[in-house]
Amino acid sequence: MSLAEKIFKCFKEKEKFTLTEAYIQNADKPKETVRARIYENLGIKFERIAKGIYKTLDRGQEVCIVMEGDGRDLSMLKDKSIDCILTDHPWLDMKSNKGGTRAFAQYDCFKYTLKDFQEKARVLKDGCFLVEILPAENENNYEYLYQIKQYAKEAGFVYYAKVAWKKGTFVSNTGRKAKNTQDVMFFSKGKARNMRIDKKKTDATGHISYMSGCNGMLPTMFDVQPVAKKDRIHQSELPLSLCEQILQYVTYEGEVVLDSFAGSGVVGEAALIQKRNCILIEILRDNIEKIKNRLRKNVMFQPLLE
């Protein structure tokens, strides 16, 4: 059990608690450590109600809502209601799809427009992250990838980072070079929120300070094996581990994640495992049934479907 969980368990039945009480209950830990764990989990496990006085937050079970519909239509979602968008749209790029780990026999592939990003910006909270899984750049798609960045900028997003997803040992060769990567593009809506602890300032002041950016330094690459063809329930299924890692960087527990092109539903599974809520939008009814079955495989998911 983590220290934050221990503090939460100790005071969850109380209306409120003080820092002094938390220090006493965890006398084997430095006061700075106890205070840091509380500060790190404000809005997640704890809420500050006055100077030095806190209460626990009981969010209950996380929920995954599965909706049948066109993921480009977000009109059912309220303004600034989403804490993170993580999605892999069926991009129209036959050369990049061919011979790789993607194949779209059932979907109408498309290219994003400015309106798509304006809708993403409308539903996403300020400072939160949009994460798009995109093809590695090649001679066929570089203009479209540039256009995506321009659309994002025009809609109010700020380019944050690009991290390659290296597909483990998978390699395909369908043209000028061997392929085994896709790109994970991170954008923030306006200036990125303060999720990352500023260690230098924290050490200097003795108080937890945060700096703009996601929760930790992003890796140089995500090295994750793709889902084996025999195990896939969708043509371009993302690995569970990849989705979990991304969510740990850009969200907190209890927040709401949107995948508007759900496909296999793996983002929903990753969100629930990481104690996030999730909204999945999927256009094909057959896939929706597969998603439901996926989330029901483990008893922990059975009550989480609406």
PDB file of all heavy atoms in Angstrom, residues 5 36 56 76 141 249 254 270 272 275:
ATOM      1  N   GLU A   5      -2.276   6.082  -0.178  1.00  0.00           N
ATOM      2  CA  GLU A   5      -3.399   5.177   0.095  1.00  0.00           C
ATOM      3  C   GLU A   5      -3.558   4.945   1.592  1.00  0.00           C
ATOM      4  O   GLU A   5      -4.684   4.845   2.102  1.00  0.00           O
ATOM      5  CB  GLU A   5      -3.186   3.855  -0.643  1.00  0.00           C
ATOM      6  CG  GLU A   5      -3.337   3.978  -2.156  1.00  0.00           C
ATOM      7  CD  GLU A   5      -2.883   2.734  -2.890  1.00  0.00           C
ATOM      8  OE1 GLU A   5      -2.097   1.956  -2.303  1.00  0.00           O
ATOM      9  OE2 GLU A   5      -3.285   2.551  -4.045  1.00  0.00           O
ATOM     10  N   ALA A  36       4.033  15.890   1.071  1.00  0.00           N
ATOM     11  CA  ALA A  36       4.177  15.770  -0.380  1.00  0.00           C
ATOM     12  C   ALA A  36       3.143  14.819  -0.964  1.00  0.00           C
ATOM     13  O   ALA A  36       2.552  15.089  -2.011  1.00  0.00           O
ATOM     14  CB  ALA A  36       5.585  15.305  -0.734  1.00  0.00           C
ATOM     15  N   THR A  56     -10.858  13.640   2.633  1.00  0.00           N
ATOM     16  CA  THR A  56     -10.651  12.630   1.597  1.00  0.00           C
ATOM     17  C   THR A  56     -11.745  12.736   0.541  1.00  0.00           C
ATOM     18  O   THR A  56     -12.863  13.182   0.826  1.00  0.00           O
ATOM     19  CB  THR A  56     -10.665  11.211   2.194  1.00  0.00           C
ATOM     20  OG1 THR A  56     -11.910  10.987   2.864  1.00  0.00           O
ATOM     21  CG2 THR A  56      -9.507  11.025   3.179  1.00  0.00           C
ATOM     22  N   MET A  76     -22.750  15.704 -28.375  1.00  0.00           N
ATOM     23  CA  MET A  76     -23.396  15.243 -27.155  1.00  0.00           C
ATOM     24  C   MET A  76     -22.576  15.560 -25.904  1.00  0.00           C
ATOM     25  O   MET A  76     -23.054  15.397 -24.777  1.00  0.00           O
ATOM     26  CB  MET A  76     -23.669  13.731 -27.240  1.00  0.00           C
ATOM     27  CG  MET A  76     -22.470  12.819 -26.967  1.00  0.00           C
ATOM     28  SD  MET A  76     -21.114  12.954 -28.180  1.00  0.00           S
ATOM     29  CE  MET A  76     -21.890  12.247 -29.630  1.00  0.00           C
ATOM     30  N   ASN A 141       2.606  10.840 -46.802  1.00  0.00           N
ATOM     31  CA  ASN A 141       1.735  11.449 -45.800  1.00  0.00           C
ATOM     32  C   ASN A 141       2.285  12.707 -45.135  1.00  0.00           C
ATOM     33  O   ASN A 141       1.626  13.278 -44.276  1.00  0.00           O
ATOM     34  CB  ASN A 141       1.384  10.422 -44.715  1.00  0.00           C
ATOM     35  CG  ASN A 141       2.604   9.979 -43.918  1.00  0.00           C
ATOM     36  OD1 ASN A 141       3.599  10.685 -43.837  1.00  0.00           O
ATOM     37  ND2 ASN A 141       2.521   8.804 -43.325  1.00  0.00           N
ATOM     38  N   TYR A 249       0.977   9.543 -17.943  1.00  0.00           N
ATOM     39  CA  TYR A 249       1.677  10.806 -18.169  1.00  0.00           C
ATOM     40  C   TYR A 249       0.735  12.007 -18.255  1.00  0.00           C
ATOM     41  O   TYR A 249       1.131  13.124 -17.920  1.00  0.00           O
ATOM     42  CB  TYR A 249       2.502  10.744 -19.461  1.00  0.00           C
ATOM     43  CG  TYR A 249       3.824  10.032 -19.316  1.00  0.00           C
ATOM     44  CD1 TYR A 249       4.038   8.791 -19.914  1.00  0.00           C
ATOM     45  CD2 TYR A 249       4.869  10.597 -18.591  1.00  0.00           C
ATOM     46  CE1 TYR A 249       5.258   8.135 -19.786  1.00  0.00           C
ATOM     47  CE2 TYR A 249       6.092   9.948 -18.459  1.00  0.00           C
ATOM     48  CZ  TYR A 249       6.278   8.717 -19.054  1.00  0.00           C
ATOM     49  OH  TYR A 249       7.479   8.073 -18.923  1.00  0.00           O
ATOM     50  N   GLY A 254      -9.383   9.286 -11.521  1.00  0.00           N
ATOM     51  CA  GLY A 254     -10.698   9.905 -11.419  1.00  0.00           C
ATOM     52  C   GLY A 254     -11.059  10.828 -12.561  1.00  0.00           C
ATOM     53  O   GLY A 254     -12.207  11.264 -12.653  1.00  0.00           O
ATOM     54  N   ALA A 270      -7.637   0.336 -20.438  1.00  0.00           N
ATOM     55  CA  ALA A 270      -6.475   0.980 -19.812  1.00  0.00           C
ATOM     56  C   ALA A 270      -6.929   2.022 -18.791  1.00  0.00           C
ATOM     57  O   ALA A 270      -6.358   2.129 -17.697  1.00  0.00           O
ATOM     58  CB  ALA A 270      -5.592   1.631 -20.878  1.00  0.00           C
ATOM     59  N   LEU A 272      -9.753   2.169 -17.053  1.00  0.00           N
ATOM     60  CA  LEU A 272     -10.317   1.546 -15.856  1.00  0.00           C
ATOM     61  C   LEU A 272      -9.227   0.949 -14.975  1.00  0.00           C
ATOM     62  O   LEU A 272      -9.269   1.064 -13.748  1.00  0.00           O
ATOM     63  CB  LEU A 272     -11.336   0.482 -16.250  1.00  0.00           C
ATOM     64  CG  LEU A 272     -12.611   1.003 -16.915  1.00  0.00           C
ATOM     65  CD1 LEU A 272     -13.477  -0.150 -17.396  1.00  0.00           C
ATOM     66  CD2 LEU A 272     -13.399   1.896 -15.967  1.00  0.00           C
ATOM     67  N   LYS A 275      -7.691   3.571 -13.032  1.00  0.00           N
ATOM     68  CA  LYS A 275      -8.661   4.286 -12.204  1.00  0.00           C
ATOM     69  C   LYS A 275      -9.044   5.645 -12.802  1.00  0.00           C
ATOM     70  O   LYS A 275      -9.201   6.629 -12.106  1.00  0.00           O
ATOM     71  CB  LYS A 275      -8.141   4.440 -10.772  1.00  0.00           C
ATOM     72  CG  LYS A 275      -7.910   3.112 -10.063  1.00  0.00           C
ATOM     73  CD  LYS A 275      -7.457   3.295  -8.630  1.00  0.00           C
ATOM     74  CE  LYS A 275      -7.246   1.947  -7.957  1.00  0.00           C
ATOM     75  NZ  LYS A 275      -6.790   2.097  -6.552  1.00  0.00           N
TER      76      LYS A 275
END
